[in-house]
Amino acid sequence: MSYEEKFMKKAIGLALKAELKDEVPVGAVVVKEGKIISSAFNKRECSHDATAHAEILAIQKACKKLNDFRLVGCDIYVSLEPCVMCMGAILNSRIDNLYFGAYIKNGSISASEIAEKSNLNHKTNIAGGFFEEECSKIVSEYFKNKR
Amino acid sequence: MSYEEKFMKKAIGLALKAELKDEVPVGAVVVKEGKIISSAFNKRECSHDATAHAEILAIQKACKKLNDFRLVGCDIYVSLEPCVMCMGAILNSRIDNLYFGAYIKNGSISASEIAEKSNLNHKTNIAGGFFEEECSKIVSEYFKNKR
């Protein structure tokens, strides 16, 4: 299993934890120099907080750990393509690389499009589609069960 | 002074508070039924947190107060046009109306463009340019002094 796959599997495990708590199943991991420095899963429902997505929580924890709003040299692994808010947070925190699992296929603006239209000097590289079938199924099954 | 101007003046006051703490001067106020339910100013530097923009902090406080991630029936007043992250948070929290002061003129994707490209059923109305000269000057003077 590659380096990227290992951390993506960790993000998937967190997504499954969110699902157990009846949250939209998304997990995120922030990595620096090959080590996980923070991780989180979506807690929007249980915390009654619109901003409590996995990526935001993981970024907040990583900033706290490094005592810096700039997460330079850090990568983030997310089981699902980030929404607009989370992609904005990834760019604002100067994360180097974003790796995500399933693509969002609902016609929303993509993470790549947001990154392209950002005015920040910093650029975040984006690679999607890791374990796509698995990641996609986790989200679709969750919504199927909710209906 | 109109209803909107009154709350925008409050947001401007918060921006000036941020400036005193050497933070990029941005203030935000969340209003429901004519009453302020939360307010915040940018704390990115002092809290070492990339997500600690005025809008995110005000939305988090408002969610906590209403015990709901949906800020239905709420409006937000911000002294500066929201960045991608904050505009995403405004949409995610289902805020009804966004009023902002200065337009961001740096070629970044606009708040309106983000809202148009959102896939959420909820729509947030956007009105910018309140006290534009004053709001714009607060930010430009801050960056001029930093150089």
Side-chain angles (χ1 to χ4, degrees):
Chain A
M1 200 182 281
S2 75
Y3 190 85
E4 289 83 9
E5 286 171 340
K6 190 182 96 179
F7 295 123
M8 190 57 71
K9 278 286 183 192
K10 175 76 181 168
I12 292 170
L14 288 157
L16 296 172
K17 271 195 179 178
E19 192 174 21
L20 286 177
K21 294 182 186 286
D22 209 20
E23 298 278 357
V24 176
V26 185
V29 176
V30 176
V31 172
K32 186 172 185 173
E33 293 163 5
K35 280 182 188 155
I36 291 173
I37 61 163
S38 72
S39 63
F41 56 83
N42 176 38
K43 291 188 173 177
R44 186 184 67 167
E45 299 290 340
C46 72
S47 65
H48 308 290
D49 181 352
T51 74
H53 286 193
E55 301 93 312
I56 297 283
L57 298 173
I59 287 170
Q60 288 171 339
K61 286 184 197 175
C63 287
K64 199 165 186 179
K65 198 151 188 176
L66 301 183
N67 203 33
D68 198 337
F69 82 80
R70 296 172 200 82
L71 300 179
V72 181
C74 292
D75 302 330
I76 191 165
Y77 294 78
V78 195
S79 58
L80 183 67
E81 183 174 358
C83 75
V84 171
M85 172 181 74
C86 294
M87 192 59 216
I90 290 166
L91 295 167
N92 286 352
S93 62
R94 277 66 162 169
I95 281 176
D96 282 342
N97 298 288
L98 158 65
Y99 302 93
F100 68 84
Y103 286 89
I104 290 187
K105 292 163 191 145
N106 58 10
S108 181
I109 184 168
S110 70
S112 294
E113 202 181 338
I114 294 164
E116 276 163 29
K117 296 197 172 191
S118 162
N119 68 308
L120 296 170
N121 286 328
H122 176 81
K123 293 290 164 212
T124 298
N125 302 309
I126 303 176
F130 287 82
F131 302 108
E132 180 161 21
E133 204 179 317
E134 184 179 356
C135 289
S136 187
K137 203 174 162 188
I138 290 168
V139 176
S140 60
E141 294 269 315
Y142 171 81
F143 284 110
K144 206 197 283 179
N145 292 335
K146 291 293 274 183
R147 280 195 294 265
Chain B
M1 202 182 277
S2 75
Y3 189 86
E4 290 82 9
E5 286 171 340
K6 191 182 95 178
F7 294 123
M8 190 56 72
K9 277 287 184 193
K10 175 78 182 167
I12 292 170
L14 288 157
L16 296 172
K17 271 196 178 179
E19 192 175 19
L20 286 176
K21 293 181 186 288
D22 209 21
E23 298 278 357
V24 176
V26 186
V29 175
V30 176
V31 172
K32 186 172 185 174
E33 294 162 5
K35 281 184 188 151
I36 292 173
I37 61 163
S38 72
S39 63
F41 56 83
N42 175 37
K43 293 188 173 175
R44 188 184 66 168
E45 299 290 339
C46 72
S47 66
H48 308 290
D49 180 351
T51 73
H53 286 194
E55 301 93 311
I56 297 283
L57 298 173
I59 288 170
Q60 287 171 340
K61 285 184 197 174
C63 287
K64 201 165 186 179
K65 197 149 188 178
L66 300 182
N67 204 33
D68 198 338
F69 82 80
R70 296 172 201 82
L71 300 180
V72 181
C74 291
D75 302 330
I76 192 165
Y77 294 78
V78 194
S79 59
L80 182 67
E81 184 174 356
C83 75
V84 170
M85 172 182 74
C86 293
M87 191 59 215
I90 289 166
L91 295 167
N92 287 351
S93 63
R94 276 66 161 169
I95 280 175
D96 282 341
N97 298 288
L98 158 65
Y99 302 93
F100 67 83
Y103 286 88
I104 290 187
K105 291 161 193 149
N106 58 9
S108 181
I109 184 168
S110 70
S112 294
E113 202 182 337
I114 294 165
E116 276 162 28
K117 297 196 171 190
S118 162
N119 68 308
L120 295 170
N121 286 327
H122 176 80
K123 292 289 163 213
T124 298
N125 301 308
I126 303 175
F130 287 83
F131 301 107
E132 179 162 21
E133 204 179 318
E134 183 180 355
C135 289
S136 187
K137 204 175 162 188
I138 290 169
V139 175
S140 60
E141 294 270 314
Y142 171 81
F143 284 109
K144 207 198 282 177
N145 292 334
K146 291 293 273 184
R147 279 196 294 266

